[in-house]
Amino acid sequence: MTERLETRFEALKKEGRAGLVTFITAGDPNPETSLEILNGLPGAGADIIELGMPFSDPMADGPAIQLSSQRALNNGASMIRTLDMVNSFRERDDATPIILMGYFNPIYRYGPQRFLDDAISIGVDGLIIVDLPPEEDDELCHACLTAGLNWIRLTTPASDNNRISSVLRNSSGFVYHVAITGITGTRSAEIGELEATVKRIRTQTSLPIAVGFGVRSQSQVRDIGRFADAVVVGSALVNTVKSALEKKLTKRQIASKVHDFVTELATGLR
Amino acid sequence: MNPVVPITDSYRSGPDDSGHFGIFGGRFVAETLMPLILEVNQAWQQYRNDENYLADIKYYAEHYVGRPSPLYFAKRLTEHLDGAKIYFKRDELNHTGSHKINNTLGQILLARRMKKHRIIAETGAGQHGVAAATVCALFDLPCVVYMGETDIERQAPNVFRMKLLGTEVVPVTSGTATLKDAMNEALRDWVANVEDTFYIIGTCAGPHPYPEMVREFQSIIGRETRDQIMQYENRLPDVLVACIGGGSNSIGLFHPFLDESSVQIIGVEAGGLGIDTGQHAASLTGGQPGVLHGNRTYLLQNADGQIRDAYSISAGLDYPGIGPEHSWLHEQGRIEYVSVTDQEALEAFQVCCRTEGIIPALEPSHALAHVIKIAPTMSRDQIIVMNMCGRGDKDVFAVAEALGETL
Ligand SMILES: Cc1ncc(COP(=O)(O)O)c(C=O)c1O
């Protein structure tokens, strides 16, 4: 298993704080700007990076992430380019864990084994493939774990204890708890309920628990960081890209807008 | 309903317990959706053979939908083509004007048993949307139909029909604003409304158990056809022909005949402007296997696995995928899948109006175009059954435009 995730979570534990997981879509709004955003994330305060692999039909995502995928695809995003991006990032940062997140079809077309081989060799640390539930573990999960990549899954407010235990089987790295019933970037969770659910999941696993969906402000990050091991912010970041684009900012300016926002969020955990 | 036989012994025994037809089908959905899918499957397995449930479906099918639909000998068309005897299975005479209501009826009666109080659906042409809106009015359940903005423009009469029936039609602007995006949006609604909502999918696609469930509801078409043709001809037909969007009317006609080796079965996909133009909706003829909307099946996609937009003059065939069972039957070689262009379908549409006094929907006009190709090559004692799965009232504006007439 690649060790960056484990090392990072151990370090966070020593520091006595939760980590910030930032989601951006690879190639959004274009390859150059996206790479500039990616490269600056650790410096801005991101502890773990989730990089979205764009897909035309992201059925579990809300409008913000759909649009970011669309912008990326309109500007030439592809699986090869996403992997290239990780490759250039790794040349300057060998410590920050990178998780690729997306849907199965682009991987299926690329070739699952070829994808795993390439992902390992360029320094990817784990995968979240939204539309591969435990019922479809033969598709990629087993091969992924065998190859030494982390397989990260989602739990939801609707997962009962039985379901949580099926989800945890063959999970590694961390558990991604979806705070709300719904899609990314919509409602926000009620904090008390969320804390109770995270406690319930903890009784079933020793893996770190990250919480995401609907998290968009420093105060939410701070509140969730009190009981979760990591907090994920996605839609709010790609929305920052969108509004920076609408203001016709330059590549450098767009990247700084995103980095400033990440720093603001990260401060909530320090 | 179906005897449990290993999939290798019969073409009718799929899917397996996890929803696979060979490598196709399955449950490729987000964890957020999984509890819902499992709940639907549990209810479906519980009720599929329940006497009371089946009696309920039968009652409404007879008294409300108007089943059985006639199997009609198209005498003038047969004489015109001077070949095989042509029968139409007249599901266009169903209440609401297409086969879609066979499915919405079965699903809403299941939703009621599951105590779901809100219905959602996706629609392309609006036929499924109207059929869903209709049963929601009948059973007094609120209904939200997702429809691509592009489709809303070209199917205005069906949009108004749904509104009259008390349904809220939500325009979908994401992606390419057509049927596939409407389905994405309905799935998004569903995960956000876990407790009270039932999703009525309109074709034999989606995650398990939908492909199987929809097939079972639509198989009434084939079962009636079997009884009727035995009564009229005292033998099975030689050829079955039906059009394919997602594949529900066709699997409904075909499924009861799959193990009859004497029956040749042909599915007709929408060839649009021609397969080589790339402007078509023929997933089997022009696509590759992939994963979308919860199942593995043939899809129109680019080399990078991004879904391509489908195109057809017929909004009901305009979907970049096809039900997984068809993908399996295609690879097994049991069914032959062909395609027909917009132009050929338009010509068949007009032939049908003039020889039979039936204005067909543009969808079955594709099936008819293929019948027109093959009937003259067959002998007069051979029999073709074609599924006339919808009536053409909804299409008269599109046809007028294509023929250069202003209404
Ligand atoms: C009349 C009619 N036929 C066929 C179809 C295509 O769907 P399917 O292939 O599921 O029967 C539609 C879809 O809207 C339709 O309205």
Side-chain angles (χ1 to χ4, degrees):
Chain A
M1 206 56 75
T2 73
E3 268 153 23
R4 291 183 201 94
L5 261 180
E6 219 178 292
T7 312
R8 180 56 47 104
F9 274 111
E10 270 164 24
L12 287 167
K13 202 166 194 175
K14 278 205 193 104
E15 279 183 54
R17 67 173 179 92
L20 179 66
V21 184
T22 54
F23 172 94
I24 58 164
T25 299
D28 170 33
N30 55 54
E32 303 76 35
T33 311
S34 190
L35 184 61
E36 176 118 1
I37 295 173
L38 177 67
N39 285 337
L41 286 174
D47 298 298
I48 296 171
I49 292 169
E50 264 181 35
L51 190 60
M53 299 176 280
F55 184 47
S56 53
D57 293 79
M59 70 177 180
D61 285 297
I65 292 180
Q66 290 170 45
L67 287 170
S68 77
S69 253
Q70 213 53 59
R71 286 193 296 271
L73 290 171
N74 290 343
N75 291 306
S78 68
M79 186 61 90
I80 297 218
R81 282 196 159 164
T82 300
L83 297 174
D84 278 350
M85 218 175 133
V86 177
N87 203 15
S88 353
F89 176 83
R90 273 281 170 258
E91 281 166 13
R92 40 164 81 213
D93 182 325
D94 198 34
T96 308
I98 291 201
I99 314 297
L100 291 181
M101 180 161 184
Y103 295 79
F104 186 46
N105 198 52
I107 297 174
Y108 185 62
R109 291 316 304 170
Y110 190 82
Q113 195 56 51
R114 174 183 167 213
F115 173 78
L116 291 174
D117 294 345
D118 290 357
I120 293 262
S121 78
I122 59 172
V124 170
D125 299 288
L127 301 179
I128 303 177
I129 307 305
V130 179
D131 52 355
L132 288 181
E135 282 73 7
E136 303 294 346
D137 273 356
D138 289 342
E139 299 291 335
L140 193 64
C141 169
H142 297 312
C144 171
L145 291 169
T146 309
L149 269 185
N150 287 293
W151 185 261
I152 296 146
R153 279 206 245 262
L154 312 186
T155 54
T156 82
S159 320
D160 59 15
N161 287 346
N162 276 338
R163 188 66 198 166
I164 290 173
S165 82
S166 342
V167 167
L168 290 172
R169 209 176 304 130
N170 297 327
S171 274
S172 70
F174 62 91
V175 176
Y176 187 147
H177 180 67
V178 172
I180 49 155
T181 55
I183 50 179
T184 51
T186 49
R187 300 173 286 137
S188 297
E190 200 277 307
I191 208 82
E193 263 174 54
L194 188 54
E195 181 168 6
T197 315
V198 169
K199 277 207 177 117
R200 179 161 62 90
I201 300 170
R202 274 209 204 285
T203 63
Q204 297 195 52
T205 183
S206 55
L207 289 174
I209 300 174
V211 171
F213 278 42
V215 185
R216 61 186 114 230
S217 70
Q218 190 194 62
S219 69
Q220 285 174 311
V221 167
R222 180 181 299 121
D223 289 346
I224 296 171
R226 292 201 175 102
F227 54 84
D229 302 298
V231 187
V232 190
V233 180
S235 297
L237 291 183
V238 301
N239 271 337
T240 305
V241 174
K242 179 168 175 261
S243 51
L245 274 176
E246 281 160 3
K247 292 191 192 110
K248 305 224 178 330
L249 301 188
T250 63
K251 171 176 96 171
R252 180 104 344 128
Q253 290 168 322
I254 296 173
S256 341
K257 285 272 179 211
V258 175
H259 297 146
D260 290 350
F261 185 44
V262 168
T263 302
E264 183 190 325
L265 295 168
T267 310
L269 296 172
R270 282 173 167 91
Chain B
M1 255 171 228
N2 283 323
V4 185
V5 233
I7 203 153
T8 42
D9 289 5
S10 166
Y11 291 110
R12 303 181 63 224
S13 55
D16 65 16
D17 288 344
S18 53
H20 292 97
F21 303 87
I23 68 160
F24 299 103
R27 278 177 288 206
F28 295 85
V29 298
E31 188 57 34
T32 43
L33 210 58
M34 209 59 212
L36 298 160
I37 299 296
L38 293 174
E39 191 188 358
V40 171
N41 189 45
Q42 190 187 13
W44 165 239
Q45 300 307 339
Q46 178 184 346
Y47 288 111
R48 58 185 299 177
N49 296 315
D50 178 86
E51 260 176 50
N52 186 275
Y53 176 58
L54 295 175
D56 244 15
I57 294 179
K58 186 161 186 281
Y59 174 84
Y60 288 102
E62 283 177 20
H63 295 267
Y64 189 70
V65 176
R67 303 212 72 90
S69 69
L71 182 69
Y72 162 73
F73 172 46
K75 186 159 176 288
R76 284 203 61 222
L77 182 66
T78 298
E79 285 165 8
H80 174 72
L81 297 174
D82 194 23
K85 282 181 91 164
I86 298 160
Y87 281 89
F88 291 161
K89 178 59 175 167
R90 299 207 46 197
D91 258 54
E92 104 278 14
L93 293 177
N94 293 340
H95 178 44
T96 73
S98 82
H99 66 291
K100 295 284 177 189
I101 198 163
N102 301 329
N103 171 44
T104 59
L105 181 59
Q107 287 199 48
I108 203 164
L109 289 169
L110 187 66
R112 273 162 60 95
R113 280 165 172 75
M114 293 172 70
K115 308 262 180 314
K116 298 293 180 184
H117 302 300
R118 175 174 174 267
I119 300 294
I120 57 172
E122 85 296 340
T123 198
Q127 287 304 103
H128 172 60
V130 167
T134 298
V135 295
C136 284
L138 178 65
F139 293 107
D140 193 22
L141 290 178
C143 180
V144 175
V145 170
Y146 289 90
M147 188 167 186
E149 206 160 51
T150 317
D151 291 331
I152 286 186
E153 279 165 28
R154 56 181 178 174
Q155 302 288 330
N158 273 344
V159 175
F160 187 57
R161 232 166 255 153
M162 286 185 266
K163 287 184 182 159
L164 286 173
L165 293 161
T167 279
E168 182 192 349
V169 179
V170 179
V172 175
T173 53
S174 61
T176 52
T178 58
L179 178 56
K180 78 176 175 72
D181 306 288
M183 197 152 174
N184 290 330
E185 218 48 49
L187 289 166
R188 291 179 186 122
D189 176 309
W190 206 19
V191 299
N193 296 286
V194 186
E195 292 298 323
D196 64 341
T197 298
F198 187 96
Y199 179 17
I200 299 189
I201 295 184
T203 191
C204 54
H208 177 61
Y210 282 96
E212 177 187 47
M213 191 162 71
V214 175
R215 177 196 77 201
E216 289 301 306
F217 297 142
Q218 293 295 359
S219 289
I220 184 74
I221 300 172
R223 291 196 302 272
E224 286 174 7
T225 299
R226 240 186 120 101
D227 291 347
Q228 289 163 324
I229 201 77
M230 289 309 288
Q231 190 185 331
Y232 304 154
E233 298 278 354
N234 200 25
R235 68 179 190 88
L236 294 177
D238 298 283
V239 179
L240 301 175
V241 183
C243 67
I244 299 200
S248 69
N249 86 83
S250 54
I251 202 73
L253 174 65
F254 299 164
H255 195 258
F257 295 92
L258 287 176
D259 287 334
E260 302 294 348
S261 56
S262 69
V263 181
Q264 188 193 349
I265 303 182
I266 304 172
V268 185
E269 297 191 298
L273 303 180
I275 301 296
D276 44 7
T277 66
Q279 297 285 310
H280 61 82
S283 325
L284 288 176
T285 314
Q288 300 87 29
V291 171
L292 179 72
H293 293 151
N295 63 114
R296 178 173 10 237
T297 193
Y298 275 72
L299 299 172
L300 302 181
Q301 54 185 318
N302 70 15
D304 207 43
Q306 307 298 337
I307 307 307
R308 271 184 20 218
D309 220 10
Y311 164 78
S312 167
I313 188 173
S314 146
L317 303 184
D318 205 349
Y319 178 64
I322 179 168
E325 192 165 12
H326 284 288
S327 291
W328 181 72
L329 289 163
H330 167 64
E331 291 204 346
Q332 295 295 305
R334 173 61 187 105
I335 296 182
E336 183 190 348
Y337 293 90
V338 299
S339 71
V340 148
T341 62
D342 283 1
Q343 198 52 44
E344 291 169 322
L346 270 172
E347 280 159 24
F349 176 98
Q350 296 170 79
V351 169
C352 189
C353 292
R354 286 193 301 256
T355 58
E356 291 296 343
I358 295 172
I359 301 179
L362 280 170
E363 292 83 10
S365 297
H366 284 71
L368 188 62
H370 193 69
V371 168
I372 291 174
K373 288 184 197 171
I374 62 172
T377 70
M378 295 168 63
S379 68
R380 289 193 191 122
D381 57 1
Q382 289 186 296
I383 299 167
I384 301 177
V385 173
M386 188 205 97
N387 198 7
M388 182 60 78
C389 58
R391 64 170 187 242
D393 310 40
K394 70 181 173 68
D395 292 318
V396 293
F397 298 102
V399 171
E401 194 184 311
L403 298 179
E405 307 230 358
T406 34
L407 297 186

